[in-house]
Amino acid sequence: IIDYNFQNAGQLVNAYDDSNTMIGLSKDFKCFVVGRLDSEISVHIIGDNYKVIFLPTTYTKEQVAEFILDKLNPDVLHMHGNHGWPQYQYYAKYFSYQSKRPVKTIFSPAGSSCGTPEFLSYFDYIIVNHRLQVERMNTPEQNKILVRHRAANKTIFYPKYADMEYDFVYVAGFVHVKQIPIMIDTVMEAAPHRRLVILGDFTRIRTHYLGIKEYINKKGIEENIILHDFISQKKMSDFLGKCGVFVWPNIKPENPSTTTNRAVTEALACGMPLLLGSRAFNETDYIVPGNNGFLYENPEGFAAFSNEIFYNLGRYRENSIKICDESFNYDKNFIEFYTKIYGE
């Protein structure tokens, strides 16, 4: 697996550490994750069959390709995200010509841009998370595109309820910073007596934190709106157990992957009811209105639905867990999916 979506080695390890869903595949496959993030070659060992390898940032794409072929000699080359497009195209071409045996090449795009038809033609499979991404791909080779639905590993993400510290939680790491005040304003108009915690990439993107903090201070709502940096997947169940309802603003997403990000799936697995803007989530499988939460249109709807959820919190929690088990099953959507693709 090659992933160039991260700014430092710590982020890469956190994304692929032993709490990540990838660990399940290492029982049947020898897995290597490669990132070009360090000053020298180093290895983070997760298990006997699972290692994260850091290559020097000075490595050219030719050197990276040679390293992977000579040292790892993979059967499958799976490339993630959009930050490495020129390199990924080169790697796919390189392995098709240089490897002495067939190497399956896979690309998983992120965001709204999925690649040109010429770019996609170099890969055996393209894996996406939403049917809208398929529609945006102007490629005649539709049979190469596979939709993999999200999944939450129940050994990592599970209900762990504790005393409620935050009434609402909003995971804002995958949205434009201008969208965060919309969520803040909705909560403060609809439920000014409740507390909202916002998880975001505030340490790395300091300007986001300062801008939102200033917005909160000007409104004098520091006691109601709490900004919290990202936490590791290992701690997510503990953290969500202190939160009441997972919320999302009523705005049209910038790209389809925004509302298929794994945070929503993890919230379901942890037994969280959902209160989501209808413009963003009216075409997803995450929510059955009235069952595990609601879709709201305006602050008035947010207020009424949140009161209903808190009044019957236990029932909505149980229904979220059921929907996660039925629609976002880890064994089916992840292990079986990739075992078939990697192993065939």
Side-chain angles (χ1 to χ4, degrees):
I1 299 170
I2 306 177
D3 200 331
Y4 284 167
N5 281 329
F6 299 91
Q7 304 299 316
N8 59 62
Q11 290 180 349
L12 182 64
V13 171
N14 184 48
Y16 288 95
D17 68 8
D18 57 13
S19 70
N20 189 272
T21 49
M22 279 298 300
I23 195 69
L25 289 174
S26 66
K27 298 175 182 177
D28 299 310
F29 300 94
K30 184 170 289 187
C31 303
F32 299 95
V33 179
V34 177
R36 194 173 55 180
L37 296 167
D38 227 329
S39 59
E40 59 185 21
I41 297 176
S42 59
V43 179
H44 180 83
I45 299 176
I46 296 177
D48 293 337
N49 288 335
Y50 193 10
K51 298 176 176 65
V52 177
I53 300 172
F54 307 129
L55 299 182
T57 54
T58 56
Y59 263 37
T60 64
K61 61 180 183 293
E62 290 82 7
Q63 289 176 299
V64 173
E66 291 173 4
F67 176 90
I68 293 174
L69 180 61
D70 294 342
K71 302 298 183 181
L72 306 181
N73 192 25
D75 299 294
V76 178
L77 195 65
H78 191 168
M79 290 154 272
H80 283 258
N82 292 350
H83 297 294
W85 272 17
Q87 296 93 334
Y88 293 169
Q89 181 172 324
Y90 174 82
Y91 299 150
K93 294 169 62 177
Y94 178 89
F95 276 82
S96 67
Y97 293 119
Q98 298 297 326
S99 180
K100 295 181 181 180
R101 56 191 176 83
V103 176
K104 184 181 296 181
T105 54
I106 303 172
F107 175 58
S108 292
S112 58
S113 183
C114 301
T116 64
E118 179 185 6
F119 173 79
L120 297 175
S121 68
Y122 289 102
F123 300 93
D124 295 308
Y125 290 114
I126 299 96
I127 299 175
V128 298
N129 296 115
H130 200 290
R131 62 183 181 277
L132 293 179
Q133 289 174 287
V134 179
E135 297 171 5
R136 293 186 179 192
M137 291 184 180
N138 183 24
T139 174
E141 301 176 284
Q142 292 289 312
N143 60 308
K144 295 169 57 173
I145 305 174
L146 305 175
V147 178
R148 183 188 74 80
H149 299 288
R150 290 292 188 183
N153 187 345
K154 296 289 286 185
T155 64
I156 308 302
F157 304 103
Y158 51 88
K160 197 172 182 181
Y161 305 126
D163 292 339
M164 193 179 301
E165 293 186 16
Y166 312 105
D167 300 287
F168 306 115
V169 58
Y170 173 41
V171 180
F174 302 94
V175 300
H176 195 281
V177 65
K178 293 181 179 179
Q179 298 178 5
I180 298 177
I182 297 175
M183 189 73 259
I184 293 175
D185 290 346
T186 299
V187 170
M188 293 314 301
E189 181 177 347
H193 59 293
R194 297 195 182 276
R195 303 181 80 207
L196 165 70
V197 61
I198 302 172
L199 292 180
D201 200 359
F202 298 128
T203 295
R204 185 170 66 89
I205 310 178
R206 188 68 179 171
T207 53
H208 285 192
Y209 174 83
L210 295 175
I212 300 167
K213 191 67 176 177
E214 181 181 4
Y215 184 83
I216 293 171
N217 291 340
K218 282 184 177 180
K219 287 182 169 288
I221 51 177
E222 299 92 333
E223 294 297 319
N224 299 84
I225 309 298
I226 296 89
L227 303 183
H228 197 296
D229 213 348
F230 276 147
I231 57 178
S232 70
Q233 293 186 343
K234 294 178 181 178
K235 299 179 181 179
M236 186 61 76
S237 294
D238 288 304
F239 186 86
L240 293 182
K242 301 175 184 178
C243 304
V245 180
F246 184 95
V247 297
W248 198 275
N250 189 26
I251 47 178
K252 186 177 180 180
E254 295 179 357
N255 60 72
S257 65
T258 297
T259 49
T260 57
N261 73 67
R262 65 174 181 263
V264 190
T265 314
E266 293 166 1
L268 286 177
C270 291
M272 295 205 69
L274 307 180
L275 187 51
L276 313 173
S278 61
R279 296 183 65 192
F281 280 87
N282 62 348
E283 294 185 8
T284 69
D285 299 324
Y286 290 110
I287 186 168
V288 178
N291 183 288
N292 69 317
F294 294 93
L295 298 173
Y296 71 92
E297 298 281 352
N298 48 48
E300 292 76 18
F302 187 100
F305 291 143
S306 64
N307 288 337
E308 160 62 20
I309 291 174
F310 283 115
Y311 185 75
N312 295 291
L313 187 58
R315 177 169 66 85
Y316 287 98
R317 283 174 167 175
E318 291 178 3
N319 290 337
S320 281
I321 296 171
K322 290 178 182 178
I323 287 177
C324 185
D325 290 341
E326 293 170 0
S327 300
F328 304 98
N329 184 275
Y330 170 70
D331 290 333
K332 178 181 178 181
N333 292 4
F334 192 90
I335 296 297
E336 292 180 13
F337 179 90
Y338 278 120
T339 297
K340 182 177 185 299
I341 298 303
Y342 288 170
E344 67 179 13

